[in-house]
Amino acid sequence: MRNNDSNKIPPSRPAAFFWDESFLWAVMAYRALEASGLDYDFISAHEIKSGRLKDYAMLFVPGGWAVNKLKALGEDGVKEIQQFVHNGGAYLGFCGGAGLATLDGLGLVKVKRKPTRDRVPSFSGRIRLAAREHPLWDGVSDPIFHAWWPSQFVIEDTSVKVLATYGEAMPDAFSSDVNVGDAEQRGAWAELERAYQINLDPKRLLHEPAVLEGTFGSGKVVLSLVHFDTLGDDVGAIALKNLWSYLAPAEERGVRRQLREHQTPASTWGRSPELEATTDLISLGLRNALWSWRNPLLLQWKRGVRGLEYCTLHIMMREIAAALSRNKEPGAEPVGPVLERIGMLLLPFVEKAKRLLLLEREAMQAGPITYERCDDPEIQRLREELFSRSKSHGGAYKILIDEIDALLFGAITRTEKEKR
């Protein structure tokens, strides 16, 4: 690891936003950063490997499967990030981006993640934090934020600072598909945990670390298991701005932040079958009571089916429509031939997914199932084909979402270049 060079040129840009393998979480973070008027540039794993991080004060990594981010970076990308932080760069990671920095990934902090059997694996929604004095909390009177199916930290170094621990979960939160307020009122957690065979009671999170700060060489590392980038969270937006000020202060470079308006107009959907297909898929789940909307970007799904993958597909296709619309002349058709290359993957996937969802709904009538376990051979076959047995995306879904992701990244980065 090279030593920090005190004579090196200061970074010209505040933050690099690592896009790869974040999917829905990249869209959510993109929308939140735009709404807050924060300054950043997108960066890919390929660009990190090529040494582009030297131009930035901070690397921001949103949620997503850490194991897939690590594969995208490869050995060269890992070394570039380690060197960047060691030489004074800052690292900010949310949820999966936080997991990437642990000993299981980049090794920036001596922190591990709890195994699934020891944690509350399916918590989602608002939760109050017990925050300790830090610039991150400036202007935050009541630290209630959103956590979306987070991991849990095990700290192995006393020099790592705990900036916040978990407090009480809000009544509108969920653990798996169980509403927290309803379960608390009934005192039903023990019974539910026996039935679900996983930890559900959010009280198990009490006093567990939620936000950490460590150092790696000369650089700061801030990791959060809560999503300050949840769209529409005004308190989260305050924390986001504080993090940018703390880790990538604009005044050091004479950079003036400018609010950049972001819109996703509903009219951009057009009549493309590629775009209408995911709307039909989501509608099927809604009318069969398999899921409902938690917020404009996230579903709450019933135990026994996958929900995040379908939600991701739908939101990313919608974002593509908006990005293509912004990249065209006013009045031009917002979608067209550019989507045809993914149509051959998307349309048959959606049709098979619809069949799978209806079969899963029928199987639920006979008894409990999970998205992993079901005795019906046709359900098993379709699950294997569409998703494989991997939790971190696989099968036909992974091929499809990678293609969609590449298209969306290209469309959004073109839009961002035009703004500058």
Side-chain angles (χ1 to χ4, degrees):
M1 200 77 64
R2 293 201 301 266
N3 292 328
N4 188 28
D5 182 359
S6 60
N7 296 318
K8 72 177 183 178
I9 299 172
S12 58
R13 297 288 297 147
F17 178 138
F18 181 35
W19 180 271
D20 296 52
E21 297 293 335
S22 291
F23 306 117
L24 176 66
W25 307 112
V27 173
M28 187 168 80
Y30 168 52
R31 298 268 207 94
L33 297 188
E34 290 290 289
S36 296
L38 295 171
D39 206 0
Y40 66 93
D41 298 325
F42 291 113
I43 195 168
S44 67
H46 174 74
E47 290 169 319
I48 289 175
K49 294 174 191 177
S50 69
R52 190 181 158 202
L53 275 177
K54 67 181 184 299
D55 298 330
Y56 297 93
M58 176 179 77
L59 175 64
F60 167 59
V61 185
W65 290 101
V67 64
N68 288 349
K69 294 177 188 292
L70 201 61
K71 289 177 184 177
L73 287 166
E75 185 177 344
D76 290 342
V78 168
K79 288 180 179 177
E80 285 290 333
I81 294 176
Q82 289 173 338
Q83 180 176 292
F84 166 74
V85 181
H86 189 272
N87 288 352
Y91 182 101
L92 174 62
F94 293 166
C95 204
L100 178 65
T102 65
L103 290 171
D104 300 318
L106 299 171
L108 300 181
V109 288
K110 291 184 179 179
V111 173
K112 290 184 177 180
R113 288 174 290 172
K114 279 189 176 181
T116 302
R117 66 179 180 275
D118 297 332
R119 61 187 179 90
V120 182
S122 299
F123 178 83
S124 63
R126 296 191 306 144
I127 188 166
R128 178 174 278 114
L129 302 185
R132 301 174 184 176
E133 187 173 352
H134 191 273
L136 166 55
W137 313 117
D138 288 352
V140 176
S141 57
D142 191 4
I144 299 175
F145 300 101
H146 294 80
W148 300 113
W149 309 283
S151 184
Q152 287 172 244
F153 289 137
V154 178
I155 300 173
E156 300 195 343
D157 184 352
T158 56
S159 69
V160 175
K161 301 176 183 176
V162 178
L163 304 186
T165 57
Y166 287 118
E168 63 176 323
M170 297 295 101
D172 56 354
F174 279 77
S175 193
S176 186
D177 59 355
V178 179
N179 174 261
V180 168
D182 292 341
E184 289 283 356
Q185 190 173 22
R186 289 180 52 230
W189 289 119
E191 174 188 345
L192 288 165
E193 288 185 344
R194 284 192 295 271
Y196 280 56
Q197 298 183 2
I198 58 173
N199 294 331
L200 291 170
D201 188 351
K203 288 189 179 66
R204 295 176 181 271
L205 291 169
L206 279 172
H207 313 305
E208 288 275 310
V211 187
L212 306 177
E213 180 177 7
T215 57
F216 184 76
S218 301
K220 295 175 181 176
V221 180
V222 175
L223 309 180
S224 175
L225 294 176
V226 296
H227 277 273
F228 301 121
D229 56 348
T230 298
L231 195 64
D233 181 358
D234 293 338
V235 183
I238 294 172
L240 270 181
K241 292 176 182 178
N242 288 341
L243 285 165
W244 248 246
S245 296
Y246 179 64
L247 297 174
E251 58 270 17
E252 292 183 3
R253 295 174 307 280
V255 176
R256 177 178 295 178
R257 296 186 181 120
Q258 295 181 343
L259 183 64
R260 294 177 288 172
E261 186 177 0
H262 176 81
Q263 295 179 337
T264 307
S267 60
T268 60
W269 278 90
R271 297 183 61 82
S272 165
E274 291 83 9
L275 294 171
E276 291 180 340
T278 62
T279 304
D280 292 343
L281 178 62
I282 296 300
S283 296
L284 180 144
L286 290 171
R287 65 176 173 264
N288 283 278
L290 295 176
W291 50 59
S292 59
W293 285 108
R294 294 282 290 276
N295 64 37
L297 296 182
L298 286 170
L299 291 171
Q300 173 60 52
W301 55 93
K302 184 175 288 189
R303 183 175 185 245
V305 301
R306 289 181 183 254
L308 185 60
E309 290 83 357
Y310 300 129
C311 176
T312 297
L313 193 64
H314 176 63
I315 294 300
M316 291 183 71
M317 289 300 295
R318 191 172 71 183
E319 199 69 23
I320 284 173
L324 292 178
S325 177
R326 292 192 295 270
N327 286 337
K328 289 180 176 290
E329 294 295 326
E333 180 63 28
V335 292
V338 69
L339 294 175
E340 292 179 2
R341 64 181 180 179
I342 63 173
M344 293 182 66
L345 295 171
L346 175 64
L347 298 179
F349 177 90
V350 168
E351 289 308 307
K352 291 176 182 178
K354 288 178 179 178
R355 173 165 172 73
L356 173 60
L357 286 165
L358 292 176
L359 288 171
E360 288 169 331
R361 184 183 183 281
E362 292 173 8
M364 289 176 187
Q365 311 310 310
I369 65 171
T370 73
Y371 77 89
E372 294 175 297
R373 299 189 301 274
C374 183
D375 294 333
D376 186 297
E378 179 64 3
I379 289 176
Q380 291 177 345
R381 185 190 69 78
L382 283 168
R383 286 178 171 181
E384 181 79 19
E385 177 183 353
L386 296 184
F387 301 105
S388 78
R389 296 183 181 180
S390 172
K391 288 185 178 181
S392 59
H393 304 326
Y397 178 81
K398 184 65 166 91
I399 297 170
L400 171 61
I401 207 67
D402 281 347
E403 190 75 20
I404 290 171
D405 190 58
L407 178 59
L408 177 56
F409 182 68
I412 287 181
T413 51
R414 284 195 301 273
T415 299
E416 292 302 303
K417 288 176 182 177
E418 290 170 2
K419 289 179 180 179
R420 298 192 183 281

Short mmCIF file of all heavy atoms in Angstrom, two decimals, residues 285-305:
data_model
loop_
_atom_site.label_atom_id
_atom_site.label_comp_id
_atom_site.label_asym_id
_atom_site.label_seq_id
_atom_site.Cartn_x
_atom_site.Cartn_y
_atom_site.Cartn_z
N GLY A 285 -49.69 -9.40 -9.22
CA GLY A 285 -49.42 -9.60 -7.80
C GLY A 285 -50.34 -8.79 -6.91
O GLY A 285 -50.75 -9.26 -5.84
N LEU A 286 -50.68 -7.58 -7.33
CA LEU A 286 -51.58 -6.73 -6.54
C LEU A 286 -52.98 -7.32 -6.46
O LEU A 286 -53.57 -7.39 -5.37
CB LEU A 286 -51.64 -5.32 -7.16
CG LEU A 286 -50.37 -4.46 -7.04
CD1 LEU A 286 -50.50 -3.20 -7.89
CD2 LEU A 286 -50.11 -4.09 -5.59
N ARG A 287 -53.51 -7.76 -7.59
CA ARG A 287 -54.89 -8.25 -7.55
C ARG A 287 -55.00 -9.62 -6.90
O ARG A 287 -56.10 -10.03 -6.49
CB ARG A 287 -55.49 -8.26 -8.95
CG ARG A 287 -54.87 -9.20 -9.95
CD ARG A 287 -55.64 -9.16 -11.27
NE ARG A 287 -54.99 -9.94 -12.30
CZ ARG A 287 -54.17 -9.43 -13.23
NH1 ARG A 287 -53.92 -8.13 -13.25
NH2 ARG A 287 -53.61 -10.21 -14.14
N ASN A 288 -53.89 -10.35 -6.78
CA ASN A 288 -53.90 -11.64 -6.09
C ASN A 288 -53.40 -11.53 -4.65
O ASN A 288 -53.13 -12.55 -4.01
CB ASN A 288 -53.05 -12.66 -6.86
CG ASN A 288 -53.78 -13.20 -8.08
OD1 ASN A 288 -54.60 -14.10 -7.97
ND2 ASN A 288 -53.49 -12.62 -9.24
N ALA A 289 -53.29 -10.30 -4.16
CA ALA A 289 -52.91 -10.03 -2.77
C ALA A 289 -51.56 -10.66 -2.41
O ALA A 289 -51.34 -11.08 -1.27
CB ALA A 289 -53.99 -10.51 -1.81
N LEU A 290 -50.65 -10.70 -3.40
CA LEU A 290 -49.32 -11.22 -3.14
C LEU A 290 -48.37 -10.13 -2.68
O LEU A 290 -47.34 -10.42 -2.07
CB LEU A 290 -48.76 -11.89 -4.41
CG LEU A 290 -49.52 -13.13 -4.87
CD1 LEU A 290 -48.93 -13.66 -6.18
CD2 LEU A 290 -49.49 -14.22 -3.80
N TRP A 291 -48.71 -8.89 -2.96
CA TRP A 291 -47.91 -7.76 -2.49
C TRP A 291 -48.71 -6.48 -2.54
O TRP A 291 -49.81 -6.43 -3.12
CB TRP A 291 -46.61 -7.61 -3.28
CG TRP A 291 -46.74 -7.60 -4.78
CD1 TRP A 291 -47.47 -6.75 -5.56
CD2 TRP A 291 -46.10 -8.51 -5.68
NE1 TRP A 291 -47.31 -7.06 -6.89
CE2 TRP A 291 -46.47 -8.12 -7.00
CE3 TRP A 291 -45.23 -9.58 -5.53
CZ2 TRP A 291 -46.01 -8.79 -8.13
CZ3 TRP A 291 -44.77 -10.24 -6.66
CH2 TRP A 291 -45.17 -9.85 -7.93
N SER A 292 -48.14 -5.45 -1.91
CA SER A 292 -48.70 -4.10 -1.95
C SER A 292 -47.52 -3.14 -1.95
O SER A 292 -46.39 -3.51 -1.63
CB SER A 292 -49.62 -3.84 -0.74
OG SER A 292 -48.89 -4.02 0.46
N TRP A 293 -47.80 -1.87 -2.26
CA TRP A 293 -46.72 -0.88 -2.32
C TRP A 293 -46.45 -0.31 -0.94
O TRP A 293 -47.36 0.13 -0.25
CB TRP A 293 -47.08 0.25 -3.28
CG TRP A 293 -46.95 -0.14 -4.72
CD1 TRP A 293 -47.97 -0.35 -5.61
CD2 TRP A 293 -45.74 -0.35 -5.44
NE1 TRP A 293 -47.47 -0.69 -6.84
CE2 TRP A 293 -46.09 -0.70 -6.77
CE3 TRP A 293 -44.38 -0.28 -5.11
CZ2 TRP A 293 -45.14 -0.99 -7.75
CZ3 TRP A 293 -43.44 -0.56 -6.09
CH2 TRP A 293 -43.81 -0.91 -7.39
N ARG A 294 -45.18 -0.30 -0.53
CA ARG A 294 -44.75 0.35 0.71
C ARG A 294 -44.49 1.83 0.48
O ARG A 294 -44.77 2.68 1.32
CB ARG A 294 -43.44 -0.29 1.23
CG ARG A 294 -43.56 -1.72 1.66
CD ARG A 294 -44.20 -1.85 3.02
NE ARG A 294 -43.33 -1.38 4.10
CZ ARG A 294 -42.38 -2.09 4.68
NH1 ARG A 294 -42.14 -3.33 4.28
NH2 ARG A 294 -41.67 -1.59 5.68
N ASN A 295 -43.86 2.12 -0.64
CA ASN A 295 -43.57 3.49 -1.08
C ASN A 295 -43.44 3.45 -2.60
O ASN A 295 -43.62 2.37 -3.19
CB ASN A 295 -42.32 4.06 -0.37
CG ASN A 295 -41.04 3.33 -0.70
OD1 ASN A 295 -40.83 2.89 -1.84
ND2 ASN A 295 -40.15 3.18 0.27
N PRO A 296 -43.15 4.55 -3.28
CA PRO A 296 -43.14 4.52 -4.75
C PRO A 296 -42.11 3.58 -5.37
O PRO A 296 -42.18 3.29 -6.57
CB PRO A 296 -42.82 5.98 -5.12
CG PRO A 296 -43.34 6.78 -3.98
CD PRO A 296 -43.06 5.95 -2.77
N LEU A 297 -41.15 3.06 -4.58
CA LEU A 297 -40.11 2.22 -5.15
C LEU A 297 -40.07 0.80 -4.59
O LEU A 297 -39.40 -0.06 -5.16
CB LEU A 297 -38.73 2.86 -4.92
CG LEU A 297 -38.44 4.19 -5.60
CD1 LEU A 297 -37.02 4.63 -5.30
CD2 LEU A 297 -38.66 4.11 -7.10
N LEU A 298 -40.77 0.53 -3.49
CA LEU A 298 -40.61 -0.75 -2.82
C LEU A 298 -41.94 -1.42 -2.53
O LEU A 298 -42.88 -0.78 -2.06
CB LEU A 298 -39.85 -0.57 -1.50
CG LEU A 298 -38.35 -0.30 -1.61
CD1 LEU A 298 -37.80 0.11 -0.26
CD2 LEU A 298 -37.62 -1.54 -2.12
N LEU A 299 -41.98 -2.72 -2.78
CA LEU A 299 -43.14 -3.54 -2.47
C LEU A 299 -42.99 -4.19 -1.09
O LEU A 299 -41.88 -4.39 -0.61
CB LEU A 299 -43.29 -4.66 -3.49
CG LEU A 299 -43.68 -4.30 -4.92
CD1 LEU A 299 -43.55 -5.54 -5.81
CD2 LEU A 299 -45.11 -3.77 -4.98
N GLN A 300 -44.13 -4.55 -0.51
CA GLN A 300 -44.17 -5.48 0.63
C GLN A 300 -44.85 -6.73 0.11
O GLN A 300 -46.00 -6.71 -0.31
CB GLN A 300 -44.98 -4.90 1.79
CG GLN A 300 -45.20 -5.88 2.94
CD GLN A 300 -43.89 -6.35 3.55
OE1 GLN A 300 -43.05 -5.54 3.91
NE2 GLN A 300 -43.73 -7.65 3.64
N TRP A 301 -44.13 -7.85 0.12
CA TRP A 301 -44.67 -9.06 -0.47
C TRP A 301 -44.98 -10.10 0.61
O TRP A 301 -44.45 -10.06 1.72
CB TRP A 301 -43.71 -9.64 -1.50
CG TRP A 301 -42.33 -9.90 -0.99
CD1 TRP A 301 -41.83 -11.06 -0.47
CD2 TRP A 301 -41.25 -8.96 -0.95
NE1 TRP A 301 -40.53 -10.90 -0.11
CE2 TRP A 301 -40.14 -9.63 -0.39
CE3 TRP A 301 -41.11 -7.62 -1.33
CZ2 TRP A 301 -38.91 -9.00 -0.21
CZ3 TRP A 301 -39.89 -7.00 -1.14
CH2 TRP A 301 -38.80 -7.68 -0.59
N LYS A 302 -45.83 -11.04 0.23
CA LYS A 302 -46.26 -12.09 1.14
C LYS A 302 -45.20 -13.18 1.21
O LYS A 302 -44.55 -13.50 0.20
CB LYS A 302 -47.60 -12.67 0.67
CG LYS A 302 -48.20 -13.72 1.58
CD LYS A 302 -49.57 -14.15 1.10
CE LYS A 302 -50.60 -13.06 1.33
NZ LYS A 302 -51.98 -13.55 1.07
N ARG A 303 -45.03 -13.75 2.39
CA ARG A 303 -44.11 -14.87 2.55
C ARG A 303 -44.50 -16.00 1.60
O ARG A 303 -45.67 -16.40 1.52
CB ARG A 303 -44.16 -15.38 3.99
CG ARG A 303 -43.17 -16.49 4.31
CD ARG A 303 -43.24 -16.80 5.79
NE ARG A 303 -42.23 -17.78 6.20
CZ ARG A 303 -42.50 -19.00 6.66
NH1 ARG A 303 -43.76 -19.39 6.78
NH2 ARG A 303 -41.54 -19.81 7.03
N GLY A 304 -43.52 -16.51 0.86
CA GLY A 304 -43.78 -17.60 -0.08
C GLY A 304 -43.50 -17.22 -1.51
O GLY A 304 -43.41 -18.09 -2.38
N VAL A 305 -43.37 -15.91 -1.80
CA VAL A 305 -43.04 -15.47 -3.14
C VAL A 305 -41.86 -14.49 -3.07
O VAL A 305 -41.58 -13.92 -2.01
CB VAL A 305 -44.22 -14.77 -3.86
CG1 VAL A 305 -45.41 -15.71 -3.96
CG2 VAL A 305 -44.60 -13.47 -3.16
#
